[in-house]
Amino acid sequence: MKVKVKMHEGMFLVAIFSLAYTQLVKGQSLPGCPSTCGNVTIEYPFGTSPDCYYAEDDTFNLTCNETEKQLFFRNIPVINVTHSGELRILADISYTCYDSQTNSTNWSYNTFGMGNLTLSVKNMFTAVGCDTYAFLSTYGVRNYSSGCMSVCGSAPETNGECSGNGCCQTSVPRGNNYFRVRPYTFTNYSDVQRYNNCSYAFLVENGSFNFDAVEDLKNLRDVTSFPVVLDWSIGKQTCKQVGNTHICRGNSTCFDSIRGTGYNCKCFEGFEGNPYLLDGCQDIDECSSIRHNCSYPKTCRNMVGGFECKCPSGFDLNNTTMSCEVIDKQDPKYLGWTTTLLGTTIGFLLILLCVSFIQQRMKHRKDTKIRHQFFEQNGGDMLMQRLSGAGQSNVDVKIFTEEGIKTATNGYDESRILGEGGQGTVYKGILPDNSIVAIKKAHLGDCSQVEQFINEVLVLSQINHRNVVKLLGCCLETEVPLLVYEFITSGTLFDHLHGSMCDSSLTWEHRLRIAIEVAGTLAYLHSSASIPIIHRDVKTANILLDENLTAKVADFGASRLIPMDKEELATKVQGTLGYLDPEYYNTGLLNEKSDVYSFGVVLMELLSGRKALCSEQPQQSKHLVNYFASATKENRLHEVIDGQVMNKYNQREIYEAARIALECTRLIGEERPRMKEIAAELEALRVTKTKRKWSGNYPEPKEIEHLLGVEILSAQGETSSTVYDSIKNVRILDIEAGR
Ligand SMILES: *[C@@H]1O[C@H](CO)[C@@H](O)[C@H](O)[C@H]1NC(C)=O
Ligand SMILES: *[C@@H]1O[C@H](CO)[C@@H](O)[C@H](O)[C@H]1NC(C)=O
Ligand SMILES: *[C@@H]1O[C@H](CO)[C@@H](O)[C@H](O)[C@H]1NC(C)=O
Ligand SMILES: *[C@@H]1O[C@H](CO)[C@@H](O)[C@H](O)[C@H]1NC(C)=O
Ligand SMILES: *[C@@H]1O[C@H](CO)[C@@H](O)[C@H](O)[C@H]1NC(C)=O
Ligand SMILES: *[C@@H]1O[C@H](CO)[C@@H](O)[C@H](O)[C@H]1NC(C)=O
Ligand SMILES: *[C@@H]1O[C@H](CO)[C@@H](O)[C@H](O)[C@H]1NC(C)=O
Ligand SMILES: *[C@@H]1O[C@H](CO)[C@@H](O)[C@H](O)[C@H]1NC(C)=O
Ligand SMILES: *[C@@H]1O[C@H](CO)[C@@H](O)[C@H](O)[C@H]1NC(C)=O
Ligand SMILES: *[C@@H]1O[C@H](CO)[C@@H](O)[C@H](O)[C@H]1NC(C)=O
Ligand SMILES: *[C@@H]1O[C@H](CO)[C@@H](O)[C@H](O)[C@H]1NC(C)=O
Ligand SMILES: *[C@@H]1O[C@H](CO)[C@@H](O)[C@H](O)[C@H]1NC(C)=O
């Protein structure tokens, strides 16, 4: 039994680190250097002033004409600079045109010398005309000329295609740093003037020129220039030759330039930025963009240099679909892994339980010894029996498929949301047999909620009581477990007393019956259930009412099973502000008297119609227990009681109930009555009431008030002051203790 308690405390199903990540928007130039010219971003090793570019090579000395807002490499306009080893320039078009009026030819032939920059294979040599041939002469590592010709047989019609009729193209080798472009005409336009009288030739980045037969044959000269891609690299040596003296900075690597001389740098996989700058390469947050392929985006975890799809405990990643799947129990690798994990997480046990339940249903009875030992150790056999619905078990927990739940909630439609709490979202579901259910789904990625869900299955599977919300089943195929409950129609007691349904049609008879039902239920949980259970979060918001206003206790997410041989448990303090037992809060020792305290507060709420914590009240009376106690002490209890409830016939019962509530909220847990006794006392109130009604024999109200007022005062005089002390403690509670 000891083992189980330990497991509860050490239960951290999934360690989720939400890495606070802030994208550093860094300049791409050296610190203190201009980073743009016009709308072109300047990236180091390029720069526009001394000390701003890589000084070993004048190639990286660009100039910015501030008036023109244009960047230049020598006299050539630059339109894009990237750290990835490319530079885009604008290169003028070459042409030759014939003017029939003057019988003369106008022409422009361009040559480009680019120093250490060289032509990229991304360019195409292009000629446009109908009586045209053109040459490209390039010099550098290999001197050569190439060219193409275009003669129009008929008027060209094709648009967008440069395929010989009015336009021709040929590819360009990489590596040369000097080129000359020259178009020629075959006939001096003597007999093809019907098409055009110009011939054009130019280099252009592949894809940047779409041939338009009509417009381009006439007016291409007006375009004047096209983008051309040039390659650059650092130095003349390979990475091997430079060794550690390369200029690549942190989280980047050196690679030999594709153009054959020198080297370039690039960020490691999973990083981005300028590798030539200190801290230039930054980790990419794949999860905040679409750069990951996890099928559930919320399972994505960013890591330095990459990401992972992190499945919740009990699920395994399928590397093909990148989605989380329930672990296949038959996998031997998995079994080895579980043996170590079994000892530490009860949540895992439960997933195992449900999985093995499915397995049982499928008549796969391959029980392992380890699992069996573990079950026995924790009373798991009994749980198993109940879960599987075998024998005389009265709790039949169904396993729902993900598909089934999706259909029932209409794909988690927003209109089906019944409520959204700290624990998760509750949907209204309609099963194929038209029955209505409530489906609770934990918020994704919060492991403590998954823990509470599993805890709730464990607790609820122990209980079959008409005043406890029935767990119909669970679904473990999804990332977070889903719990399926019976659907309770009329909302929470909290809503009826203070909230949206504040109709106050709850008479004293209703309230007394609800109190009796809740008290009876808690008494059952504490003593009659097969394993004693402490609810830990008794409050009006957790008491549901059905259409007959019958109480149904809900939300066992925080509840604890108490091992038979233990009276109390040391736990992390958990509960709701206003209902939290001050003794439990101070000591951390949980026992059934903590529920008694919370019930006392609920009873006070029923009596007074006030909230457990009311901020409008003066400081002393903020907490209902405190308010009640001081009112009783000062013999003005009638001021506290909900006016709509009290009449001259039920005064005695109400005062009696008030006394019970005060007993329940005594500071010392030992002094509080047991739930069983409370249930009996409340029940007795109802019985005597019925009796009196029948006998028609009412005592004089005045007399009762007098008698009881004194009695309560003398019995509770000392309590009220101690209660106040305890309230002070509660007030300093961290808000996080509430939910
Ligand atoms: C830069 O600005 C010029 C005009 O100032 C514009 O034609 C060009 O498209 C711009 N380039 C980019 C990449 O925005
Ligand atoms: C430069 O080219 C890169 C890569 O083609 C592109 O992403 C970037 O937008 C361009 N920048 C400018 C200013 O044109
Ligand atoms: C910038 O361009 C303008 C116009 O073309 C020219 O007059 C001026 O001399 C240039 N400035 C520099 C610093 O080159
Ligand atoms: C950079 O280039 C410009 C023009 O191309 C030139 O005037 C200047 O002297 C060069 N700077 C250095 C440091 O060589
Ligand atoms: C030749 O070019 C000059 C200057 O661009 C222009 O003035 C002249 O009209 C042109 N002649 C022909 C025949 O196109
Ligand atoms: C142009 O040349 C043609 C034939 O070569 C001739 O017929 C024509 O008169 C010349 N025109 C002018 C303006 O010189
Ligand atoms: C290419 O031509 C240039 C100039 O004409 C010359 O200096 C160079 O040696 C030639 N290169 C080769 C590889 O022939
Ligand atoms: C074209 O005209 C030029 C002068 O305008 C002349 O030098 C050349 O020989 C002519 N070529 C042909 C093929 O007629
Ligand atoms: C070309 O690069 C070499 C080595 O980096 C350098 O020494 C040389 O000055 C550069 N040439 C030009 C024209 O920038
Ligand atoms: C590489 O990147 C990581 C994560 O951004 C960072 O912690 C580390 O300091 C970087 N290394 C260098 C040498 O800059
Ligand atoms: C992953 O999912 C695919 C498609 O659902 C399935 O065919 C495959 O068997 C799965 N792989 C593993 C290792 O479970
Ligand atoms: C998926 O890949 C990871 C690492 O590559 C591996 O550890 C894991 O076992 C794989 N899972 C499956 C189901 O194949």
Side-chain angles (χ1 to χ4, degrees), residues 98 103-105 185-188 190:
Y98 176 77
N103 271 357
S104 69
T105 311
T185 160
F186 286 111
T187 64
N188 273 354
S190 52

Side-chain angles (χ1 to χ4, degrees), residues 37 39-43 79-82 84 86 88 122 205:
C37 177
N39 54 10
V40 180
T41 309
I42 302 164
E43 302 192 5
I79 53 169
N80 189 334
V81 181
T82 68
S84 64
E86 286 180 352
R88 274 180 189 72
K122 288 186 178 174
E205 181 178 5

Side-chain angles (χ1 to χ4, degrees), residues 266-285:
K266 67 176 173 200
C267 290
F268 288 147
E269 190 87 3
F271 287 80
E272 65 184 356
N274 187 340
Y276 301 94
L277 291 174
L278 191 65
D279 291 333
C281 290
Q282 296 285 324
D283 179 37
I284 301 173
D285 185 6

Side-chain angles (χ1 to χ4, degrees), residues 368-550:
T368 61
K369 252 187 208 162
I370 305 154
R371 203 183 62 206
H372 221 87
Q373 266 177 359
F374 193 69
F375 282 170
E376 272 169 66
Q377 206 173 310
N378 300 291
D381 267 345
M382 185 161 47
L383 185 62
M384 201 41 192
Q385 221 174 353
R386 280 170 177 267
L387 273 177
S388 64
Q392 85 281 47
S393 165
N394 32 25
V395 181
D396 187 11
V397 179
K398 262 197 215 135
I399 301 293
F400 288 84
T401 62
E402 187 185 5
E403 207 52 41
I405 298 279
K406 249 192 192 150
T407 318
T409 57
N410 198 11
Y412 306 113
D413 196 277
E414 277 192 16
S415 66
R416 292 291 184 84
I417 294 179
L418 291 172
E420 205 145 2
Q423 255 206 23
T425 310
V426 181
Y427 294 88
K428 181 176 176 176
I430 300 171
L431 296 184
D433 62 359
N434 276 336
S435 57
I436 299 180
V437 293
I439 295 169
K440 187 153 89 173
K441 184 182 183 213
H443 291 312
L444 200 65
D446 188 337
C447 58
S448 75
Q449 281 165 4
V450 174
E451 178 187 341
Q452 287 183 350
F453 262 54
I454 286 166
N455 184 50
E456 190 155 354
V457 179
L458 183 70
V459 171
L460 281 177
S461 67
Q462 300 294 307
I463 307 170
N464 183 28
H465 191 279
R466 62 183 285 268
N467 293 117
V468 172
V469 170
K470 237 192 214 97
L471 179 72
L472 301 176
C474 62
C475 172
L476 292 171
E477 285 181 23
T478 46
E479 265 176 275
V480 290
L482 296 160
L483 300 188
V484 180
Y485 302 91
E486 64 173 323
F487 182 69
I488 309 293
T489 44
S490 298
T492 66
L493 179 58
F494 183 90
D495 289 334
H496 279 268
L497 287 175
H498 326 289
S500 50
M501 303 183 192
C502 188
D503 52 5
S504 288
S505 64
L506 283 180
T507 64
W508 169 242
E509 281 70 28
H510 287 138
R511 294 182 193 210
L512 181 58
R513 183 170 48 72
I514 289 167
I516 291 168
E517 282 167 352
V518 174
T521 309
L522 292 176
Y524 165 81
L525 293 179
H526 290 172
S527 49
S528 310
S530 48
I531 299 175
I533 293 161
I534 294 175
H535 185 286
R536 274 229 290 193
D537 202 9
V538 176
K539 55 179 176 180
T540 45
N542 281 343
I543 297 168
L544 303 176
L545 298 178
D546 72 5
E547 68 275 12
N548 302 323
L549 297 178
T550 301

Side-chain angles (χ1 to χ4, degrees), residues 611-630:
K611 290 186 189 174
L613 278 181
C614 186
S615 46
E616 291 118 53
Q617 292 284 330
Q619 191 66 11
Q620 298 269 52
S621 320
K622 268 203 172 67
H623 192 255
L624 185 56
V625 174
N626 187 26
Y627 182 48
F628 229 85
S630 57

Side-chain angles (χ1 to χ4, degrees), residues 98 100-103:
Y98 176 77
S100 51
Q101 267 153 25
T102 60
N103 271 357

